[in-house]
Amino acid sequence: MVIYNVTVNVDASIHQDWLVWIKEHIPQVLSTGKFNRATLTRVLLDDNSGAFTYSIQYRAHSREALDDYYKDHAEGLRKAGAEKFADKMLAFRTELEFIDEYSVDFE
């Protein structure tokens, strides 16, 4: 499995509007059929700039599914956020290879 991670730094002036938007945007990305799950997390930073940083992790069905997403969907979906928030939002993307997952059950 490949995880497509999008880290976004959001200016405080648009933070609430962006949060509403991203919660609508994530289902749009999932509706492409290339991912089976997404997680939205806030990065906990001691940042005096007033900005907020988030990570959205999309779990792709396969490497091929992620490549198809790039080819068929990514540009249009990225453009929507860039047009709406311009320079008040900065995103960078990384790909992660899923190796294993562990959990502990407490009784």
Side-chain angles (χ1 to χ4, degrees), residues 1-106:
M1 173 189 346
V2 177
I3 299 171
Y4 174 55
N5 182 73
V6 182
T7 303
V8 187
N9 187 269
V10 180
D11 188 273
S13 66
I14 61 148
H15 179 241
Q16 289 305 316
D17 289 339
W18 180 87
L19 205 50
V20 168
W21 175 82
I22 197 65
K23 289 178 180 182
E24 296 169 356
H25 177 77
I26 291 169
Q28 291 174 345
V29 174
L30 291 175
S31 75
T32 66
K34 307 303 178 186
F35 306 97
N36 59 21
R37 190 165 104 188
T39 305
L40 172 64
T41 59
R42 184 167 158 215
V43 178
L44 300 177
L45 295 172
D46 193 11
D47 184 356
N48 294 329
S49 72
F52 297 86
T53 303
Y54 288 86
S55 170
I56 305 100
Q57 292 189 350
Y58 299 95
R59 291 189 177 211
H61 294 292
S62 63
R63 172 82 247 176
E64 295 78 21
L66 182 56
D67 289 341
D68 288 346
Y69 170 78
Y70 289 145
K71 182 177 61 129
D72 299 330
H73 305 282
E75 185 177 337
L77 288 165
R78 288 177 186 175
K79 188 176 181 182
E83 288 177 353
K84 184 168 182 66
F85 299 109
D87 64 346
K88 300 288 185 181
M89 171 188 90
L90 174 65
F92 69 91
R93 294 150 181 90
T94 52
E95 296 175 7
L96 308 168
E97 178 184 11
F98 181 83
I99 304 297
D100 209 347
E101 188 166 56
Y102 304 87
S103 64
V104 176
D105 293 324
F106 292 102

